[in-house]
Amino acid sequence: MDSLPRPTATSGLAQYLALTVALGGLQFVWSVETGFGSLYLLSLGMKKSHVSLVWLAGPLSGLVTQPLVGILSDNCTAKLGRRRPYIIGSTVAVVLCLIVIGWTRELTGSWPALTIWLAVIAFYAMDFAINCIQASMRALIVDSLPTSRQDAGTAWASRMIGAGNVAGYLMGFLDLVRLLPFLGSTHMQVLTSIASLLLVTTVAITCYFSPEIPLARSPAQSGVGGSSLRALGTIFTSIRSLPVAIKDVCRIQLFSWIGWFPFLFYGTTYVAHLYVATHTGAGSTDSSADLMERGTRAGSLAMFAYAASSLGFSVILPVFAYSSASRSALRQRRYRAGTLSTLGQLRQVLRKTQRAASISLSKMWMISLAVFSVAMLLTFVVSTVRGATWLIAACGFCWAVTIWVPFSIIGETISEFNSSERSMRDEGRGDGYFPVDSADIPMEELATGEQEGDDQPEYGFGGRNEDVPQRSSNTGGLSAGTILGIHNVFIVVPQFITALASSLIFAFFEHANDSKSENSDSQQAHEIALVLRLGGISSVVAAYYAWKLGH
């Protein structure tokens, strides 16, 4: 928690940028994979049902990599710090995989089967490395910021992720071969080249400007770092003893990501097939390849609209949301209100107006899940590219909340618990702590640098003797890497479900269409829309649990 200096009015923005900019570069890589990976594999000759199985790489890597990296980095004693060795090593692996993906045909020559296998292996390896970077980056943010700054840190992380999405989908829409021919001779080659350069640059900024204090090795750590299987066993036995707030978040994530994965992996393909279906017919002189190329760009434009919407909402929404971790700061500010100048009093009035329009994080999460489910179910009535683009763009609001609110709640829980334990230990009051009632404050005020008492504990997440998983060896508190690794399990399990379900659905339609002369693009768009609707139904369940979280 002390690895970075405490933010101030002048240094806070620079610190948030340094901590989170690498997530923007990583998201650019992820947008390239999710937005164009399916179409790229289809262009190599893979069946759609087999492509959906390729995306099992994500849950397989996330199920193992993030929890394992979390607990191993919690106990890493390298001179670079706990998180940075994993970030740097995984970045090198991602860049190598991107090079292989971009130049797969050139590496294999005239061996189609070998080309497909090499691309699949590269995607699998890259997913493992991406999950390693993501786990380490999220833990670094929690490590580096005090409790009342966790909201601002995760808000800035969501903005960087939104910027990475916008850049990724914009690059996919542009004619990159004509604009940047020196980076490659195909669209995918230029994309992977840009992704590699951007990832290396942003990771270098984060690692250089976000130093960590090396962790001193203690006797208790010697067994944890040495056995990966023992580390994984510790993680999964700890799931039962998670703090209540984190358990609730995990349950919501389980259902919400059943809806998100089909959207992320098939959104571009859905719009592309709609485009071809609506532009094929009498009077059309374009070849199917030309139509699909323009359809792919139409899909990229729709996803770009979604990414731009997400970025805009990630800037606006924190102004109108409040969280418990900032309540004591507001109480202190109200206490000083009588001594403020006229300008200060005016600012207080503006803040009160802002608070009146604010809603809780849990309620905002519930609303976003409801909006997402409605958007996915509206694919029943949408049959045009313009309509599908509007639906996808509306999901930008939902994505901005999804990549911000859960991590904010988890970061607050970890930081607050550790602050409470540290405070109790310093005061010699044992291992118990007591709730502190306080008022609400909008999250965006955390970034102004005016708060005091950043480490003031507010309330506990559970009883005084509640068992908690995997405490940090040095502080005795909750370990960020371990908790975030457990949380990620509930994100990646839905991808197993959606990958298998979509593969079965696509295989069923492929078998049913074998007896037909053709499998039209409108039919293929309908197949993808069916998978999206199933995700929308699951999001309804997630919205219900988010509503319960708020109560």
Side-chain angles (χ1 to χ4, degrees):
M1 296 296 294
D2 299 320
S3 57
L4 288 180
R6 291 167 65 88
T8 65
T10 56
S11 69
L13 177 60
Q15 184 188 23
Y16 293 137
L17 291 173
L19 269 174
T20 59
V21 68
L23 285 173
L26 186 65
Q27 187 62 31
F28 185 93
V29 176
W30 179 248
S31 68
V32 169
E33 179 181 0
T34 58
F36 311 103
S38 294
L39 290 169
Y40 177 68
L41 291 172
L42 289 172
S43 72
L44 296 180
M46 287 191 72
K47 291 184 177 181
K48 193 154 72 247
S49 58
H50 294 166
V51 170
S52 62
L53 292 177
V54 172
W55 302 131
L56 285 174
L60 282 172
S61 60
L63 189 64
V64 177
T65 305
Q66 286 214 22
L68 182 59
V69 169
I71 192 169
L72 293 179
S73 65
D74 280 339
N75 296 276
C76 178
T77 57
K79 292 183 179 180
L80 286 174
R82 290 191 290 175
R83 318 299 180 186
R84 289 192 294 175
Y86 292 90
I87 295 173
I88 295 171
S90 300
T91 298
V92 174
V94 170
V95 171
L96 292 176
C97 291
L98 286 171
I99 293 173
V100 171
I101 290 170
W103 279 265
T104 304
R105 287 190 175 97
E106 286 75 6
L107 292 172
T108 58
S110 58
W111 295 80
L114 181 60
T115 300
I116 292 174
W117 275 106
L118 183 60
V120 170
I121 292 171
F123 274 116
Y124 265 74
M126 187 168 69
D127 269 333
F128 275 85
I130 286 175
N131 273 283
C132 183
I133 300 175
Q134 187 177 60
S136 303
M137 282 301 309
R138 287 290 188 178
L140 181 63
I141 294 173
V142 175
D143 291 343
S144 303
L145 298 174
T147 304
S148 62
R149 302 274 181 177
Q150 291 293 327
D151 291 328
T154 52
W156 273 102
S158 69
R159 291 163 188 164
M160 289 298 174
I161 291 173
N165 256 338
V166 169
Y169 290 119
L170 177 61
M171 292 297 104
F173 175 70
L174 299 176
D175 187 355
L176 295 178
V177 177
R178 184 177 62 85
L179 294 174
L180 302 169
F182 53 90
L183 291 180
S185 58
T186 67
H187 192 74
M188 182 58 78
Q189 287 178 359
V190 181
L191 266 180
T192 53
S193 298
I194 296 173
S196 299
L197 293 172
L198 187 61
L199 180 63
V200 170
T201 301
T202 54
V203 166
I205 292 173
T206 293
C207 290
Y208 183 79
F209 291 103
S210 300
E212 298 180 86
I213 298 176
L215 185 67
R217 178 173 291 277
S218 65
Q221 289 174 274
S222 56
V224 177
S227 173
S228 298
L229 292 177
R230 186 183 305 173
L232 285 175
T234 301
I235 290 173
F236 292 111
T237 56
S238 299
I239 292 178
R240 293 174 299 177
S241 55
L242 285 172
V244 175
I246 298 179
K247 283 183 178 179
D248 292 339
V249 169
C250 291
R251 181 169 56 181
I252 297 169
Q253 293 284 61
L254 182 66
F255 288 98
S256 68
W257 280 91
I258 291 177
W260 275 115
F261 280 119
F263 174 86
L264 293 173
F265 284 115
Y266 297 110
T268 304
T269 310
Y270 171 61
V271 177
H273 284 303
L274 275 182
Y275 181 92
V276 176
T278 54
H279 288 76
T280 301
S284 177
T285 59
D286 296 316
S287 66
S288 58
D290 290 337
L291 283 175
M292 180 53 70
E293 181 180 352
R294 288 204 293 273
T296 301
R297 293 198 180 185
S300 298
L301 181 61
M303 297 303 288
F304 170 74
Y306 141 81
S309 170
S310 172
L311 178 60
F313 279 111
S314 68
V315 174
I316 297 172
L317 291 179
V319 179
F320 298 101
Y322 63 81
S323 66
S324 56
S326 52
R327 293 176 174 179
S328 60
L330 176 61
R331 185 173 64 251
Q332 294 167 2
R333 207 173 289 164
R334 285 175 174 172
Y335 177 79
R336 302 192 304 266
T339 63
L340 293 176
S341 63
T342 302
L343 180 60
Q345 291 177 356
L346 177 60
R347 293 177 68 184
Q348 286 288 76
V349 172
L350 292 176
R351 288 193 182 111
K352 288 180 180 179
T353 304
Q354 184 182 7
R355 285 194 295 273
S358 298
I359 64 174
S360 67
L361 292 179
S362 59
K363 185 177 293 186
M364 184 173 288
W365 198 7
M366 177 197 70
I367 294 172
S368 73
L369 290 167
V371 171
F372 182 79
S373 63
V374 170
M376 294 299 98
L377 293 175
L378 281 177
T379 56
F380 274 112
V381 296
V382 170
S383 58
T384 64
V385 172
R386 176 174 295 183
T389 300
W390 277 108
L391 287 184
I392 290 175
C395 293
F397 159 71
C398 313
W399 181 249
V401 176
T402 296
I403 61 176
W404 157 45
V405 170
F407 293 98
S408 180
I409 296 174
I410 291 173
E412 288 175 13
T413 306
I414 296 171
S415 182
E416 205 164 278
F417 185 93
N418 292 345
S419 295
S420 298
E421 282 213 337
R422 185 166 57 250
S423 177
M424 297 304 104
R425 186 173 61 249
D426 292 343
E427 296 176 14
R429 290 164 58 183
D431 61 355
Y433 56 99
F434 302 91
V436 178
D437 189 23
S438 50
D440 299 330
I441 182 174
M443 279 182 37
E444 192 66 12
E445 296 184 13
L446 299 174
T448 63
E450 299 175 21
Q451 299 92 290
E452 294 182 6
D454 284 339
D455 295 326
Q456 174 70 26
E458 297 163 43
Y459 57 86
F461 291 84
R464 293 178 50 156
N465 296 319
E466 179 181 26
D467 186 24
V468 294
Q470 193 57 37
R471 295 166 180 263
S472 169
S473 301
N474 280 21
T475 65
L478 298 178
S479 294
T482 304
I483 297 296
L484 289 170
I486 293 173
H487 164 254
N488 190 67
V489 171
F490 291 87
I491 293 179
V492 300
V493 166
Q495 194 170 349
F496 279 110
I497 298 172
T498 56
L500 292 173
S502 59
S503 179
L504 290 174
I505 291 172
F506 294 147
F508 170 79
F509 281 107
E510 286 173 359
H511 178 73
N513 291 324
D514 280 345
S515 58
K516 299 181 181 179
S517 59
E518 61 177 355
N519 185 14
S520 67
D521 287 277
S522 60
Q523 173 64 26
Q524 295 188 57
H526 169 72
E527 296 169 12
I528 297 174
L530 178 60
V531 176
L532 297 178
R533 292 163 199 161
L534 294 176
I537 295 173
S538 180
S539 293
V540 173
V541 180
Y544 167 73
Y545 283 123
W547 174 80
K548 292 189 67 176
L549 175 66
H551 289 73

